[in-house]
Every structure is written in structure tokens, then in C-alpha cells.
Amino acid sequence: MKTIINLPKHSHELLRILSSDTGPFSIGTLMSLSKTSRRMVYYNLDNIKAFLYANNLGELNSVNEGYSLTAEQRKKTNILLDDQYVFDSKEVRVGYIICYLMWARKIVRLADFINEMEVSRNAILSDLQEVKYELRTYQLELDNNKKDGFFITGDNFRKRTVYLYYIRKLLQTGCNKSIDFIDPNQMKAYSKKIKIIFEELK
């Protein structure tokens, strides 16, 4: 199994550009297509080189005209990127945190969210504030202490209601990474149940 390093959002987008056409792409063209600065393009190219190396895909082609990927690199890169999910949406991260806690079978710490979604500490802290606000609209609470970590308290029926609402949003992303806290052996049957429930509630 190949290693997939979780590329930052802009690096992910730039690699999509490189893997979508034969190129070569000049720095100016990459700046225009990605709508980022020259410095950011070079930063993203360094990340892309590391991605290719980590997945045994060779080197990024660099000539006077610019940068490009071989046909084989483009094919394999697109497969890898389809398996990767970038948590660049606050709404998705909030849903992930809520559902992750509903399924938690261990003590959950702040570091767990940072590691799972590979975003900054500040982003997660902001997301947790949003989670608190969302839960309170359902008369639920997000609690946290040194002994038990993060957990959700309140009426179980309300918990299930919130869970169904957010798990549906995560399922709509179409990426397993956004629901990787669910036991894969249960996922197929669970997806069918979710579909039936929402059809009945429509």
C-alpha cells in the first residue's frame, strides 16, 4: 500500500492542475490557474515533489518551459488524489467532530482531531466553538475534561437526531476519509439503513 501524504489545500489543487494536462506549465501559468503568488507556487511545488517521492512516482519534470508530469504519473496521481480528502471546509470539519465523538470508543483529545483532519490547532479550536454552538441548538453540550477528554452530553434521542443530520452531510462528500471513524465492516449495512431512514423522513 502506497503512502499518501495529506497535501495542504493549495498544494492539492496545484497537483490537480498538473495532473489534468500534459503541460508543461510555467510558473506564471501556475500562478494564474491556482490564483496564488509566485512564492506559494514554489511552496506547493515542493510539497508536490515530496508527494511524488513518498508514493514512488518519480520526480516532477522540470524544463525551461515549466513543470509537467508524465502520462503514467498523471494517471497514478489522480487515483491517489481521489483517495485523499482535504478538510478545507469548516462545515465538514464540524460534522466530522460531532460524528467522531458519537462513535468514539476511546478518550478523545484535541490532538486526535488535529491528527485526523491534519489542520492547525487554531482551526480545530475554532471548529470546537462552532460545535458547541450547534449542539446547544439541540440542547446538547460539548464537554471536555482532563480525565475523559471530549464528549457530548444530553438526551440520547437528540444525539441520534444530530448524528443523522451530520452523517448524511459527511456521506455526501463521497470520500471514506470523512467517515473513517466508522467500522468499515458495518459501513455497507449502515449506509443502507441511513438511506431508508431519510427516504422515510423525506
Side-chain angles (χ1 to χ4, degrees):
M1 187 177 195
K2 295 184 181 299
T3 301
I4 300 178
I5 56 175
N6 197 12
L7 289 166
K9 177 184 176 182
H10 291 302
S11 299
H12 187 282
E13 292 174 350
L14 192 68
L15 184 52
R16 280 291 191 192
I17 292 170
L18 289 168
S19 62
S20 67
D21 202 348
T22 57
F25 297 87
S26 68
I27 293 297
T29 299
L30 292 176
M31 289 169 60
S32 176
L33 292 174
S34 63
K35 298 179 181 179
T36 57
S37 67
R38 178 179 296 270
R39 181 178 180 182
M40 181 60 75
V41 167
Y42 278 114
Y43 168 77
N44 291 327
L45 287 173
D46 285 340
N47 287 335
I48 289 169
K49 291 174 184 177
F51 177 92
L52 296 175
Y53 177 80
N55 289 285
N56 301 315
L57 294 179
E59 297 183 355
L60 178 64
N61 297 320
S62 175
V63 293
N64 291 334
E65 293 82 5
Y67 297 86
S68 65
L69 297 172
T70 66
E72 187 67 14
Q73 284 176 319
R74 292 197 303 275
K75 178 181 177 181
K76 291 182 177 179
T77 293
N78 281 320
I79 292 173
L80 290 173
L81 290 179
D82 287 341
D83 288 337
Q84 184 188 38
Y85 187 75
V86 178
F87 285 90
D88 58 342
S89 165
K90 187 180 186 67
E91 182 180 18
V92 171
R93 293 198 305 270
V94 166
Y96 185 89
I97 290 172
I98 290 173
C99 295
Y100 186 93
L101 289 174
M102 296 283 191
W103 271 82
R105 298 295 182 269
K106 63 173 186 176
I107 295 175
V108 181
R109 307 291 185 189
L110 180 65
D112 291 312
F113 295 129
I114 295 172
N115 293 334
E116 291 292 333
M117 291 183 278
E118 298 184 291
V119 295
S120 71
R121 177 186 175 88
N122 286 340
I124 295 298
L125 290 174
S126 174
D127 295 338
L128 289 170
Q129 289 301 314
E130 184 68 21
V131 167
K132 286 183 179 180
Y133 174 79
E134 290 294 318
L135 291 176
R136 283 174 180 169
T137 63
Y138 293 89
Q139 298 177 21
L140 299 173
E141 290 290 335
L142 174 65
D143 290 323
N144 176 41
N145 61 53
K146 188 174 182 179
K147 178 184 176 183
D148 302 312
F150 286 94
F151 56 97
I152 296 172
T153 59
D155 179 74
N156 285 333
F157 178 79
R158 293 179 185 276
K159 286 183 182 180
R160 293 191 187 99
T161 301
V162 172
Y163 179 77
L164 287 173
Y165 175 76
Y166 282 102
I167 195 64
R168 186 185 188 192
K169 287 182 174 294
L170 295 182
L171 287 169
Q172 288 172 343
T173 68
C175 181
N176 289 337
K177 174 64 179 173
S178 67
I179 51 172
D180 62 2
F181 47 81
I182 297 178
D183 183 344
N185 295 323
Q186 300 178 27
M187 192 62 243
K188 188 174 181 180
Y190 191 76
S191 295
K192 290 180 180 179
K193 290 179 182 179
I194 290 287
K195 183 177 180 180
I196 292 170
I197 289 171
F198 275 101
E199 286 177 350
E200 291 179 352
L201 293 176
K202 189 177 295 183

